[in-house]
Short mmCIF file of all heavy atoms in Angstrom, two decimals:
data_model
loop_
_atom_site.label_atom_id
_atom_site.label_comp_id
_atom_site.label_asym_id
_atom_site.label_seq_id
_atom_site.Cartn_x
_atom_site.Cartn_y
_atom_site.Cartn_z
N THR U 22 50.84 139.91 104.64
CA THR U 22 50.09 139.32 105.74
C THR U 22 50.89 138.23 106.44
O THR U 22 50.89 138.16 107.66
CB THR U 22 48.76 138.72 105.22
OG1 THR U 22 48.09 139.72 104.47
CG2 THR U 22 47.89 138.29 106.37
N ALA U 23 51.56 137.40 105.66
CA ALA U 23 52.37 136.33 106.25
C ALA U 23 53.58 136.90 106.98
O ALA U 23 53.99 136.36 108.02
CB ALA U 23 52.81 135.35 105.18
N ILE U 24 54.12 137.99 106.47
CA ILE U 24 55.26 138.62 107.14
C ILE U 24 54.83 139.19 108.48
O ILE U 24 55.54 139.05 109.48
CB ILE U 24 55.87 139.71 106.23
CG1 ILE U 24 56.45 139.06 104.98
CG2 ILE U 24 56.92 140.52 106.97
CD1 ILE U 24 56.92 140.04 103.94
N THR U 25 53.67 139.81 108.53
CA THR U 25 53.15 140.36 109.78
C THR U 25 52.89 139.25 110.79
O THR U 25 53.24 139.37 111.97
CB THR U 25 51.85 141.14 109.52
OG1 THR U 25 52.09 142.12 108.51
CG2 THR U 25 51.36 141.81 110.78
N ALA U 26 52.29 138.14 110.35
CA ALA U 26 52.03 137.02 111.25
C ALA U 26 53.34 136.42 111.76
O ALA U 26 53.46 136.09 112.94
CB ALA U 26 51.21 135.96 110.53
N GLY U 27 54.32 136.30 110.87
CA GLY U 27 55.62 135.79 111.29
C GLY U 27 56.32 136.70 112.27
O GLY U 27 56.95 136.24 113.23
N LEU U 28 56.18 138.01 112.06
CA LEU U 28 56.77 138.97 112.98
C LEU U 28 56.10 138.91 114.35
O LEU U 28 56.79 138.91 115.37
CB LEU U 28 56.65 140.39 112.39
CG LEU U 28 57.30 141.50 113.20
CD1 LEU U 28 58.80 141.30 113.24
CD2 LEU U 28 56.95 142.84 112.58
N PHE U 29 54.78 138.82 114.37
CA PHE U 29 54.07 138.68 115.65
C PHE U 29 54.44 137.39 116.37
O PHE U 29 54.62 137.36 117.58
CB PHE U 29 52.56 138.74 115.45
CG PHE U 29 52.03 140.13 115.26
CD1 PHE U 29 51.01 140.37 114.35
CD2 PHE U 29 52.53 141.20 115.97
CE1 PHE U 29 50.51 141.65 114.16
CE2 PHE U 29 52.05 142.48 115.79
CZ PHE U 29 51.04 142.70 114.88
N PHE U 30 54.58 136.30 115.61
CA PHE U 30 54.99 135.03 116.21
C PHE U 30 56.39 135.14 116.80
O PHE U 30 56.65 134.67 117.91
CB PHE U 30 54.95 133.90 115.18
CG PHE U 30 55.49 132.61 115.71
CD1 PHE U 30 54.73 131.83 116.55
CD2 PHE U 30 56.76 132.19 115.37
CE1 PHE U 30 55.22 130.64 117.07
CE2 PHE U 30 57.26 131.00 115.88
CZ PHE U 30 56.49 130.23 116.72
N LEU U 31 57.30 135.78 116.08
CA LEU U 31 58.67 135.92 116.55
C LEU U 31 58.73 136.78 117.81
O LEU U 31 59.43 136.43 118.77
CB LEU U 31 59.54 136.52 115.45
CG LEU U 31 61.02 136.60 115.75
CD1 LEU U 31 61.60 135.21 115.93
CD2 LEU U 31 61.73 137.33 114.63
N ILE U 32 57.99 137.88 117.83
CA ILE U 32 57.96 138.73 119.02
C ILE U 32 57.38 137.97 120.21
O ILE U 32 57.93 138.01 121.31
CB ILE U 32 57.15 140.02 118.74
CG1 ILE U 32 57.91 140.91 117.76
CG2 ILE U 32 56.86 140.77 120.03
CD1 ILE U 32 57.09 142.08 117.25
N ARG U 33 56.29 137.26 119.98
CA ARG U 33 55.67 136.49 121.06
C ARG U 33 56.60 135.40 121.56
O ARG U 33 56.72 135.16 122.76
CB ARG U 33 54.36 135.87 120.56
CG ARG U 33 53.65 135.05 121.59
CD ARG U 33 52.36 134.48 120.98
NE ARG U 33 51.70 133.60 121.89
CZ ARG U 33 52.00 132.31 122.06
NH1 ARG U 33 52.95 131.77 121.34
NH2 ARG U 33 51.35 131.57 122.91
N PHE U 34 57.29 134.72 120.64
CA PHE U 34 58.20 133.65 121.02
C PHE U 34 59.37 134.18 121.84
O PHE U 34 59.76 133.59 122.84
CB PHE U 34 58.71 132.93 119.77
CG PHE U 34 59.62 131.77 120.07
CD1 PHE U 34 59.09 130.59 120.56
CD2 PHE U 34 60.98 131.86 119.87
CE1 PHE U 34 59.91 129.52 120.84
CE2 PHE U 34 61.80 130.80 120.15
CZ PHE U 34 61.27 129.62 120.64
N VAL U 35 59.92 135.33 121.45
CA VAL U 35 61.04 135.91 122.18
C VAL U 35 60.62 136.33 123.58
O VAL U 35 61.31 136.05 124.57
CB VAL U 35 61.65 137.09 121.40
CG1 VAL U 35 62.61 137.89 122.26
CG2 VAL U 35 62.34 136.59 120.15
N VAL U 36 59.47 136.98 123.70
CA VAL U 36 58.98 137.40 125.01
C VAL U 36 58.67 136.19 125.89
O VAL U 36 59.06 136.13 127.06
CB VAL U 36 57.74 138.32 124.86
CG1 VAL U 36 57.08 138.56 126.19
CG2 VAL U 36 58.13 139.63 124.21
N GLN U 37 57.99 135.21 125.32
CA GLN U 37 57.63 134.01 126.07
C GLN U 37 58.89 133.25 126.51
O GLN U 37 58.98 132.79 127.65
CB GLN U 37 56.75 133.12 125.21
CG GLN U 37 56.20 131.91 125.90
CD GLN U 37 55.31 131.10 124.97
OE1 GLN U 37 55.37 131.24 123.75
NE2 GLN U 37 54.49 130.25 125.54
N THR U 38 59.85 133.13 125.64
CA THR U 38 61.10 132.43 125.97
C THR U 38 61.86 133.15 127.06
O THR U 38 62.35 132.51 128.01
CB THR U 38 61.99 132.31 124.72
OG1 THR U 38 61.26 131.63 123.71
CG2 THR U 38 63.25 131.55 125.01
N SER U 39 61.94 134.46 126.98
CA SER U 39 62.68 135.20 128.00
C SER U 39 62.01 135.11 129.36
O SER U 39 62.68 134.93 130.38
CB SER U 39 62.87 136.66 127.58
OG SER U 39 61.63 137.32 127.54
N ILE U 40 60.69 135.19 129.40
CA ILE U 40 59.98 135.11 130.68
C ILE U 40 60.10 133.72 131.28
O ILE U 40 60.44 133.57 132.47
CB ILE U 40 58.50 135.51 130.50
CG1 ILE U 40 58.40 137.00 130.22
CG2 ILE U 40 57.70 135.15 131.74
CD1 ILE U 40 57.02 137.45 129.84
N ILE U 41 59.87 132.68 130.49
CA ILE U 41 59.92 131.31 131.02
C ILE U 41 61.33 130.93 131.41
O ILE U 41 61.56 130.30 132.45
CB ILE U 41 59.32 130.33 130.00
CG1 ILE U 41 57.81 130.55 129.95
CG2 ILE U 41 59.64 128.89 130.35
CD1 ILE U 41 57.08 129.70 128.96
N ASN U 42 62.32 131.31 130.61
CA ASN U 42 63.70 130.95 130.95
C ASN U 42 64.24 131.74 132.13
O ASN U 42 65.04 131.22 132.90
CB ASN U 42 64.59 131.09 129.72
CG ASN U 42 64.34 129.99 128.73
OD1 ASN U 42 63.91 128.90 129.09
ND2 ASN U 42 64.59 130.27 127.47
N ASN U 43 63.81 132.99 132.30
CA ASN U 43 64.20 133.72 133.51
C ASN U 43 63.59 133.09 134.75
O ASN U 43 64.25 132.99 135.79
CB ASN U 43 63.79 135.19 133.40
CG ASN U 43 64.68 135.97 132.47
OD1 ASN U 43 65.79 135.57 132.18
ND2 ASN U 43 64.19 137.09 131.98
N SER U 44 62.35 132.64 134.64
CA SER U 44 61.73 131.95 135.76
C SER U 44 62.42 130.62 136.03
O SER U 44 62.63 130.25 137.19
CB SER U 44 60.24 131.70 135.49
OG SER U 44 59.56 132.91 135.31
N ALA U 45 62.78 129.89 134.98
CA ALA U 45 63.47 128.62 135.14
C ALA U 45 64.84 128.83 135.79
O ALA U 45 65.25 128.04 136.64
CB ALA U 45 63.63 127.93 133.79
N LYS U 46 65.52 129.88 135.41
CA LYS U 46 66.82 130.18 136.02
C LYS U 46 66.65 130.52 137.50
O LYS U 46 67.44 130.08 138.34
CB LYS U 46 67.47 131.33 135.27
CG LYS U 46 68.84 131.71 135.78
CD LYS U 46 69.40 132.86 134.97
CE LYS U 46 70.73 133.32 135.53
NZ LYS U 46 71.25 134.48 134.80
N TYR U 47 65.63 131.28 137.82
CA TYR U 47 65.38 131.66 139.21
C TYR U 47 65.08 130.44 140.08
O TYR U 47 65.55 130.34 141.21
CB TYR U 47 64.22 132.66 139.27
CG TYR U 47 63.87 133.09 140.67
CD1 TYR U 47 64.63 134.04 141.34
CD2 TYR U 47 62.78 132.54 141.34
CE1 TYR U 47 64.31 134.44 142.62
CE2 TYR U 47 62.45 132.93 142.61
CZ TYR U 47 63.23 133.88 143.25
OH TYR U 47 62.91 134.26 144.53
N PHE U 48 64.29 129.52 139.55
CA PHE U 48 63.91 128.34 140.32
C PHE U 48 64.88 127.17 140.16
O PHE U 48 64.65 126.11 140.71
CB PHE U 48 62.49 127.90 139.94
CG PHE U 48 61.44 128.84 140.42
CD1 PHE U 48 60.68 129.57 139.51
CD2 PHE U 48 61.20 129.02 141.76
CE1 PHE U 48 59.72 130.45 139.94
CE2 PHE U 48 60.24 129.89 142.20
CZ PHE U 48 59.48 130.61 141.29
N GLY U 49 65.94 127.35 139.39
CA GLY U 49 66.95 126.32 139.24
C GLY U 49 66.53 125.19 138.32
O GLY U 49 67.04 124.07 138.44
N ASP U 50 65.65 125.46 137.40
CA ASP U 50 65.19 124.44 136.45
C ASP U 50 65.95 124.61 135.15
O ASP U 50 66.69 125.57 134.95
CB ASP U 50 63.68 124.61 136.22
CG ASP U 50 63.04 123.39 135.61
OD1 ASP U 50 63.69 122.34 135.54
OD2 ASP U 50 61.86 123.49 135.21
N ARG U 51 65.78 123.67 134.22
CA ARG U 51 66.45 123.77 132.93
C ARG U 51 65.68 124.71 132.00
O ARG U 51 64.51 124.99 132.21
CB ARG U 51 66.59 122.40 132.29
CG ARG U 51 65.29 121.74 132.04
CD ARG U 51 65.49 120.36 131.52
NE ARG U 51 64.16 119.75 131.39
CZ ARG U 51 63.90 118.68 130.73
NH1 ARG U 51 64.88 118.03 130.15
NH2 ARG U 51 62.70 118.21 130.65
N LYS U 52 66.34 125.14 130.95
CA LYS U 52 65.73 126.08 130.01
C LYS U 52 64.90 125.33 128.97
O LYS U 52 65.20 124.19 128.63
CB LYS U 52 66.80 126.91 129.33
CG LYS U 52 67.53 127.78 130.32
CD LYS U 52 68.47 128.71 129.63
CE LYS U 52 69.14 129.55 130.70
NZ LYS U 52 69.43 130.87 130.27
N HIS U 53 63.86 125.98 128.48
CA HIS U 53 62.94 125.38 127.52
C HIS U 53 62.87 126.27 126.28
O HIS U 53 62.08 127.20 126.22
CB HIS U 53 61.53 125.25 128.12
CG HIS U 53 61.50 124.48 129.39
ND1 HIS U 53 61.50 123.12 129.42
CD2 HIS U 53 61.46 124.88 130.68
CE1 HIS U 53 61.46 122.71 130.66
NE2 HIS U 53 61.44 123.76 131.45
N PHE U 54 63.70 125.97 125.29
CA PHE U 54 63.65 126.74 124.04
C PHE U 54 62.75 126.08 123.01
O PHE U 54 61.88 126.69 122.44
CB PHE U 54 65.06 126.90 123.44
CG PHE U 54 65.92 127.85 124.20
CD1 PHE U 54 66.99 127.38 124.92
CD2 PHE U 54 65.66 129.20 124.19
CE1 PHE U 54 67.80 128.25 125.62
CE2 PHE U 54 66.46 130.07 124.89
CZ PHE U 54 67.53 129.60 125.61
N PHE U 55 63.00 124.81 122.77
CA PHE U 55 62.33 124.13 121.68
C PHE U 55 60.99 123.51 122.09
O PHE U 55 60.22 123.10 121.23
CB PHE U 55 63.25 123.05 121.09
CG PHE U 55 64.53 123.62 120.58
CD1 PHE U 55 65.72 123.38 121.24
CD2 PHE U 55 64.55 124.44 119.46
CE1 PHE U 55 66.91 123.90 120.78
CE2 PHE U 55 65.72 124.98 119.00
CZ PHE U 55 66.91 124.72 119.66
N MET U 56 60.71 123.45 123.38
CA MET U 56 59.47 122.86 123.84
C MET U 56 58.32 123.86 123.86
O MET U 56 57.16 123.47 123.94
CB MET U 56 59.65 122.28 125.25
CG MET U 56 60.59 121.09 125.30
SD MET U 56 60.02 119.70 124.33
CE MET U 56 58.59 119.22 125.26
N LEU U 57 58.60 125.14 123.77
CA LEU U 57 57.54 126.14 123.87
C LEU U 57 56.48 126.02 122.77
O LEU U 57 55.29 126.10 123.08
CB LEU U 57 58.14 127.55 123.89
CG LEU U 57 58.93 127.88 125.16
CD1 LEU U 57 59.54 129.26 125.04
CD2 LEU U 57 58.06 127.79 126.37
N PRO U 58 56.84 125.81 121.51
CA PRO U 58 55.78 125.62 120.50
C PRO U 58 54.95 124.35 120.77
O PRO U 58 53.75 124.35 120.53
CB PRO U 58 56.54 125.50 119.18
CG PRO U 58 57.82 126.20 119.41
CD PRO U 58 58.15 125.95 120.86
N LEU U 59 55.58 123.31 121.30
CA LEU U 59 54.82 122.10 121.63
C LEU U 59 53.86 122.36 122.79
O LEU U 59 52.76 121.84 122.81
CB LEU U 59 55.78 120.96 121.97
CG LEU U 59 56.62 120.46 120.81
CD1 LEU U 59 57.58 119.38 121.29
CD2 LEU U 59 55.74 119.93 119.70
N PHE U 60 54.31 123.16 123.76
CA PHE U 60 53.42 123.51 124.86
C PHE U 60 52.22 124.32 124.36
O PHE U 60 51.11 124.18 124.87
CB PHE U 60 54.15 124.32 125.94
CG PHE U 60 55.16 123.53 126.71
CD1 PHE U 60 56.26 124.15 127.26
CD2 PHE U 60 55.02 122.17 126.90
CE1 PHE U 60 57.20 123.44 127.98
CE2 PHE U 60 55.96 121.44 127.62
CZ PHE U 60 57.05 122.08 128.16
N ASP U 61 52.44 125.18 123.38
CA ASP U 61 51.35 125.98 122.81
C ASP U 61 50.32 125.11 122.10
O ASP U 61 49.15 125.46 122.03
CB ASP U 61 51.90 127.01 121.83
CG ASP U 61 52.58 128.17 122.53
OD1 ASP U 61 52.29 128.38 123.72
OD2 ASP U 61 53.38 128.85 121.88
N ILE U 62 50.75 123.99 121.56
CA ILE U 62 49.82 123.06 120.91
C ILE U 62 49.17 122.15 121.95
O ILE U 62 47.98 121.85 121.87
CB ILE U 62 50.56 122.23 119.84
CG1 ILE U 62 51.03 123.15 118.72
CG2 ILE U 62 49.68 121.12 119.30
CD1 ILE U 62 51.98 122.50 117.75
N TYR U 63 49.94 121.73 122.93
CA TYR U 63 49.47 120.75 123.92
C TYR U 63 48.39 121.31 124.84
O TYR U 63 47.44 120.62 125.17
CB TYR U 63 50.66 120.26 124.73
CG TYR U 63 50.31 119.27 125.80
CD1 TYR U 63 49.87 117.99 125.47
CD2 TYR U 63 50.42 119.60 127.14
CE1 TYR U 63 49.55 117.08 126.44
CE2 TYR U 63 50.09 118.68 128.12
CZ TYR U 63 49.67 117.43 127.77
OH TYR U 63 49.35 116.53 128.74
N LEU U 64 48.52 122.54 125.27
CA LEU U 64 47.57 123.11 126.24
C LEU U 64 46.13 123.18 125.71
O LEU U 64 45.21 122.75 126.41
CB LEU U 64 48.04 124.48 126.72
CG LEU U 64 47.16 125.14 127.77
CD1 LEU U 64 47.12 124.29 129.04
CD2 LEU U 64 47.67 126.52 128.08
N PRO U 65 45.86 123.67 124.50
CA PRO U 65 44.48 123.66 124.01
C PRO U 65 43.93 122.24 123.82
O PRO U 65 42.75 121.99 124.08
CB PRO U 65 44.53 124.40 122.68
CG PRO U 65 45.76 125.18 122.71
CD PRO U 65 46.71 124.45 123.59
N VAL U 66 44.79 121.31 123.39
CA VAL U 66 44.34 119.92 123.22
C VAL U 66 43.98 119.32 124.57
O VAL U 66 42.95 118.65 124.71
CB VAL U 66 45.42 119.10 122.50
CG1 VAL U 66 45.08 117.62 122.50
CG2 VAL U 66 45.62 119.59 121.09
N LEU U 67 44.80 119.56 125.57
CA LEU U 67 44.51 119.05 126.91
C LEU U 67 43.23 119.67 127.48
O LEU U 67 42.40 118.97 128.06
CB LEU U 67 45.69 119.34 127.85
CG LEU U 67 45.52 118.90 129.29
CD1 LEU U 67 45.45 117.38 129.36
CD2 LEU U 67 46.65 119.42 130.13
N SER U 68 43.05 120.96 127.29
CA SER U 68 41.83 121.62 127.78
C SER U 68 40.59 121.07 127.09
O SER U 68 39.56 120.86 127.73
CB SER U 68 41.93 123.12 127.55
OG SER U 68 42.99 123.66 128.27
N LEU U 69 40.68 120.86 125.78
CA LEU U 69 39.57 120.30 125.04
C LEU U 69 39.24 118.89 125.54
O LEU U 69 38.07 118.54 125.71
CB LEU U 69 39.87 120.28 123.55
CG LEU U 69 38.77 119.75 122.64
CD1 LEU U 69 37.55 120.66 122.70
CD2 LEU U 69 39.28 119.62 121.23
N TYR U 70 40.25 118.10 125.79
CA TYR U 70 40.05 116.74 126.29
C TYR U 70 39.35 116.76 127.65
O TYR U 70 38.41 116.01 127.89
CB TYR U 70 41.39 116.02 126.39
CG TYR U 70 41.29 114.64 126.99
CD1 TYR U 70 40.89 113.57 126.20
CD2 TYR U 70 41.58 114.40 128.32
CE1 TYR U 70 40.78 112.30 126.72
CE2 TYR U 70 41.48 113.14 128.86
CZ TYR U 70 41.08 112.09 128.06
OH TYR U 70 40.96 110.85 128.59
N ILE U 71 39.82 117.61 128.53
CA ILE U 71 39.23 117.68 129.87
C ILE U 71 37.79 118.17 129.81
O ILE U 71 36.92 117.65 130.49
CB ILE U 71 40.09 118.57 130.79
CG1 ILE U 71 41.41 117.87 131.11
CG2 ILE U 71 39.35 118.91 132.08
CD1 ILE U 71 42.38 118.72 131.86
N LEU U 72 37.53 119.17 128.98
CA LEU U 72 36.18 119.71 128.90
C LEU U 72 35.20 118.75 128.24
O LEU U 72 34.03 118.72 128.60
CB LEU U 72 36.19 121.04 128.15
CG LEU U 72 36.81 122.20 128.91
CD1 LEU U 72 36.89 123.44 128.03
CD2 LEU U 72 36.03 122.50 130.17
N THR U 73 35.65 117.95 127.27
CA THR U 73 34.72 117.04 126.60
C THR U 73 34.55 115.75 127.38
O THR U 73 33.44 115.36 127.70
CB THR U 73 35.19 116.71 125.17
OG1 THR U 73 36.52 116.21 125.21
CG2 THR U 73 35.12 117.92 124.29
N PHE U 74 35.63 115.06 127.70
CA PHE U 74 35.51 113.78 128.37
C PHE U 74 35.20 113.92 129.85
O PHE U 74 34.70 113.00 130.47
CB PHE U 74 36.77 112.94 128.17
CG PHE U 74 36.94 112.51 126.75
CD1 PHE U 74 37.97 113.01 125.98
CD2 PHE U 74 36.06 111.62 126.18
CE1 PHE U 74 38.12 112.63 124.66
CE2 PHE U 74 36.19 111.22 124.86
CZ PHE U 74 37.23 111.73 124.10
N GLY U 75 35.47 115.07 130.41
CA GLY U 75 35.12 115.31 131.80
C GLY U 75 33.61 115.38 131.99
O GLY U 75 33.08 115.06 133.04
N ARG U 76 32.90 115.77 130.96
CA ARG U 76 31.44 115.87 131.04
C ARG U 76 30.76 114.52 130.80
O ARG U 76 29.60 114.35 131.12
CB ARG U 76 30.93 116.88 130.02
CG ARG U 76 31.42 118.27 130.29
CD ARG U 76 30.81 119.24 129.30
NE ARG U 76 31.48 120.53 129.33
CZ ARG U 76 31.23 121.48 130.22
NH1 ARG U 76 30.36 121.28 131.16
NH2 ARG U 76 31.86 122.63 130.16
N TRP U 77 31.45 113.56 130.19
CA TRP U 77 30.85 112.27 129.88
C TRP U 77 30.90 111.30 131.05
O TRP U 77 30.22 110.29 131.05
CB TRP U 77 31.55 111.62 128.71
CG TRP U 77 31.27 112.31 127.41
CD1 TRP U 77 30.36 113.29 127.19
CD2 TRP U 77 31.90 112.06 126.18
NE1 TRP U 77 30.38 113.68 125.89
CE2 TRP U 77 31.32 112.93 125.24
CE3 TRP U 77 32.88 111.20 125.77
CZ2 TRP U 77 31.70 112.95 123.91
CZ3 TRP U 77 33.26 111.22 124.44
CH2 TRP U 77 32.68 112.09 123.53
N THR U 78 31.72 111.59 132.04
CA THR U 78 31.83 110.68 133.17
C THR U 78 30.68 110.92 134.14
O THR U 78 29.85 111.81 133.96
CB THR U 78 33.17 110.88 133.90
OG1 THR U 78 33.27 112.23 134.34
CG2 THR U 78 34.34 110.55 132.98
N SER U 79 30.64 110.14 135.18
CA SER U 79 29.55 110.29 136.15
C SER U 79 29.68 111.62 136.88
O SER U 79 30.72 112.27 136.87
CB SER U 79 29.57 109.14 137.14
OG SER U 79 30.74 109.20 137.93
N ARG U 80 28.65 112.00 137.57
CA ARG U 80 28.62 113.29 138.27
C ARG U 80 29.68 113.37 139.35
O ARG U 80 30.23 114.44 139.62
CB ARG U 80 27.24 113.52 138.90
CG ARG U 80 26.20 113.91 137.91
CD ARG U 80 26.35 115.37 137.60
NE ARG U 80 25.24 115.82 136.81
CZ ARG U 80 25.30 116.85 136.03
NH1 ARG U 80 26.42 117.53 135.96
NH2 ARG U 80 24.29 117.24 135.34
N ASN U 81 30.00 112.27 139.99
CA ASN U 81 30.97 112.30 141.07
C ASN U 81 32.40 112.48 140.57
O ASN U 81 33.26 112.97 141.30
CB ASN U 81 30.89 111.01 141.89
CG ASN U 81 29.55 110.88 142.57
OD1 ASN U 81 28.89 111.87 142.85
ND2 ASN U 81 29.13 109.66 142.83
N ASN U 82 32.68 112.09 139.35
CA ASN U 82 34.04 112.15 138.81
C ASN U 82 34.22 113.32 137.84
O ASN U 82 35.25 113.39 137.18
CB ASN U 82 34.36 110.85 138.07
CG ASN U 82 34.41 109.68 139.01
OD1 ASN U 82 34.67 109.83 140.19
ND2 ASN U 82 34.12 108.50 138.48
N THR U 83 33.27 114.21 137.73
CA THR U 83 33.35 115.30 136.76
C THR U 83 34.40 116.32 137.17
O THR U 83 34.46 116.72 138.32
CB THR U 83 31.98 116.00 136.63
OG1 THR U 83 31.02 115.02 136.25
CG2 THR U 83 32.02 117.08 135.57
N ILE U 84 35.21 116.73 136.21
CA ILE U 84 36.20 117.78 136.44
C ILE U 84 35.51 119.10 136.20
O ILE U 84 34.94 119.34 135.15
CB ILE U 84 37.40 117.59 135.51
CG1 ILE U 84 38.07 116.26 135.77
CG2 ILE U 84 38.38 118.75 135.65
CD1 ILE U 84 39.12 115.90 134.75
N ARG U 85 35.60 120.00 137.15
CA ARG U 85 34.94 121.30 137.02
C ARG U 85 35.97 122.40 137.12
O ARG U 85 36.89 122.35 137.92
CB ARG U 85 33.89 121.48 138.10
CG ARG U 85 32.78 120.47 138.02
CD ARG U 85 31.62 120.92 138.89
NE ARG U 85 30.63 119.87 138.96
CZ ARG U 85 29.62 119.75 138.11
NH1 ARG U 85 29.50 120.61 137.14
NH2 ARG U 85 28.77 118.77 138.23
N TRP U 86 35.81 123.42 136.30
CA TRP U 86 36.66 124.59 136.35
C TRP U 86 36.03 125.59 137.29
O TRP U 86 34.85 125.85 137.27
CB TRP U 86 36.80 125.22 134.97
CG TRP U 86 37.43 124.30 133.98
CD1 TRP U 86 36.80 123.50 133.09
CD2 TRP U 86 38.81 124.07 133.81
NE1 TRP U 86 37.70 122.80 132.36
CE2 TRP U 86 38.94 123.13 132.78
CE3 TRP U 86 39.96 124.58 134.41
CZ2 TRP U 86 40.19 122.68 132.36
CZ3 TRP U 86 41.19 124.14 133.96
CH2 TRP U 86 41.28 123.21 132.95
N LYS U 87 36.84 126.20 138.12
CA LYS U 87 36.31 127.19 139.06
C LYS U 87 36.54 128.58 138.54
O LYS U 87 37.39 128.88 137.80
CB LYS U 87 36.99 127.05 140.41
CG LYS U 87 36.58 125.77 141.08
CD LYS U 87 37.13 125.74 142.48
CE LYS U 87 36.67 124.46 143.14
NZ LYS U 87 37.05 124.38 144.51
#
């Protein structure tokens, strides 16, 4: 089971790295090899923060997803 999960992670990481780095090369940006796992952790945390604290503010300042 752990080998299968590791294999899926490796395949996903290689595909994600190739797509993001090809886009970075096209747009003249730097490559992101080691930051991708951090981005995978950061995005759900940021979304959770926006969805929870965005609802606690006043109605005029509420962040809404379309």
Side-chain angles (χ1 to χ4, degrees):
T22 308
I24 295 173
T25 306
L28 184 65
F29 282 141
F30 174 77
L31 186 63
I32 291 170
R33 179 180 175 276
F34 183 74
V35 168
V36 170
Q37 185 178 19
T38 303
S39 66
I40 290 172
I41 289 178
N42 287 333
N43 285 340
S44 299
K46 182 180 176 183
Y47 178 79
F48 290 114
D50 198 10
R51 61 185 176 165
K52 296 186 179 214
H53 304 279
F54 288 110
F55 301 110
M56 294 298 292
L57 291 177
L59 293 177
F60 291 152
D61 285 339
I62 295 169
Y63 179 68
L64 183 62
V66 171
L67 179 66
S68 298
L69 181 65
Y70 176 81
I71 290 173
L72 288 174
T73 55
F74 292 112
R76 297 183 193 279
W77 289 351
T78 58
S79 66
R80 284 280 189 204
N81 296 334
N82 294 334
T83 303
I84 299 171
R85 298 194 188 270
W86 298 96
K87 291 187 178 184

